[in-house]
Amino acid sequence: MIQSPDCYPNESLDRDMSQSPTSYPKGFKPFKGKGGAARGNESMGVLLRELERVETEIAQLGREARRIEVEVNDLPETHAAGIRIRIHRRNASGLPVLRWREAYHEGMRTRGTSPRTGDHVWREALEQGRLSEPVRHDLYQHEVRRLMHNTQASLLNEQRRWMASAIQRLKRAQAVLERRWQDADALEQ
C-alpha cells in the first residue's frame, strides 16, 4: 500500500477509507420508524450542510492544486525532465485535477501543435536515460502527490453527486407527502 507522502498534508483520504462499512457519515443515520415532515426537514438540513462542507473542501482542493502546480513547476527536476504539472478542470464537475504535460515550447504554437498531456508524459520523462536517480525519485514523489490529490478530488466529486441526488429525491418525497396532506385537507372540507 502506498502511503501518503509527508509533503501532502491532507490525510482525510486515509481516515475516510478506514471506516467500517456499517459506520455512517457524521449526521447521517438510517431512517427508522415514522418521522413525518419534521424528520424530512431535519434530514434536508443535514444534507445541505454536508453538501456545503464538500463544496468548501473542493474549493480548498483547488487552492491546493494551484500551490502544487506552482511548487512542482518551479523545481529543477521538472525542468530537467521537460515536463510540467497543470491544473485541468473537468467541464462537468469543475474539479481541479492535476495532469502532467510536456513543457511548452514557443515553436509549438507556430506549428499548430500543442503539448501532450497525461500519465504517459510522466512515464516517458522518467524513462529518459539522462536523468539521475535522485531526480527520478523526486519525480516519483510528485506523481504520488498528484495521484493522491486527484483521488481526493474524485472522492469529493462522488460525495457531491450523491448528496445532490439525495437532496433531489428528498424534495420529491416531501412534495408527494405535501400533496397527500393537501388532498386529505380538501376531502375534510
Side-chain angles (χ1 to χ4, degrees):
M1 179 174 155
I2 296 176
Q3 294 293 321
S4 175
D6 294 336
C7 60
Y8 197 73
N10 193 345
E11 296 180 7
S12 65
L13 181 65
D14 297 332
R15 185 179 65 248
D16 292 341
M17 296 175 93
S18 66
Q19 291 181 348
S20 70
T22 57
S23 65
Y24 300 98
K26 187 170 84 175
F28 291 95
K29 294 179 183 153
F31 292 110
K32 293 182 180 177
K34 298 178 182 177
R39 182 131 191 186
N41 290 335
E42 179 183 315
S43 298
M44 179 72 78
V46 169
L47 284 171
L48 290 171
R49 284 189 301 276
E50 193 64 16
L51 183 59
E52 185 177 313
R53 181 196 61 78
V54 168
E55 292 291 348
T56 301
E57 284 189 41
I58 288 172
Q60 290 171 346
L61 202 59
R63 289 188 292 278
E64 177 68 11
R66 178 66 181 135
R67 191 180 69 71
I68 291 170
E69 179 185 43
V70 168
E71 185 180 304
V72 170
N73 291 337
D74 284 344
L75 297 172
E77 55 263 22
T78 55
H79 290 283
I83 58 175
R84 316 226 353 120
I85 277 187
R86 289 289 185 231
I87 296 174
H88 173 77
R89 294 195 186 272
R90 295 183 178 154
N91 292 341
S93 65
L95 285 176
V97 295
L98 295 168
R99 285 192 179 166
W100 288 107
R101 172 184 177 148
E102 288 180 318
Y104 183 79
H105 300 289
E106 286 300 320
M108 288 182 157
R109 183 172 290 178
T110 58
R111 290 192 308 256
T113 60
S114 60
R116 295 179 316 134
T117 63
D119 295 348
H120 62 280
V121 171
W122 174 82
R123 268 192 312 276
E124 290 171 7
L126 212 63
E127 292 169 352
Q128 292 178 13
R130 62 186 170 93
L131 297 178
S132 67
E133 279 307 308
V135 168
R136 286 175 213 267
H137 180 72
D138 288 345
L139 288 174
Y140 168 77
Q141 290 299 325
H142 298 313
E143 173 65 355
V144 169
R145 190 175 178 191
R146 183 189 76 84
L147 291 171
M148 295 299 291
H149 172 88
N150 289 353
T151 299
Q152 188 172 12
S154 191
L155 289 171
L156 286 172
N157 187 47
E158 278 302 309
Q159 283 182 335
R160 178 172 59 183
R161 285 178 36 202
W162 177 82
M163 281 182 245
S165 174
I167 288 169
Q168 289 306 311
R169 288 191 311 264
L170 188 54
K171 284 179 180 179
R172 284 193 300 266
Q174 285 178 337
V176 168
L177 184 61
E178 288 172 11
R179 276 195 306 270
R180 180 104 170 117
W181 285 341
Q182 289 171 354
D183 292 345
D185 287 344
L187 288 174
E188 288 178 9
Q189 293 175 0

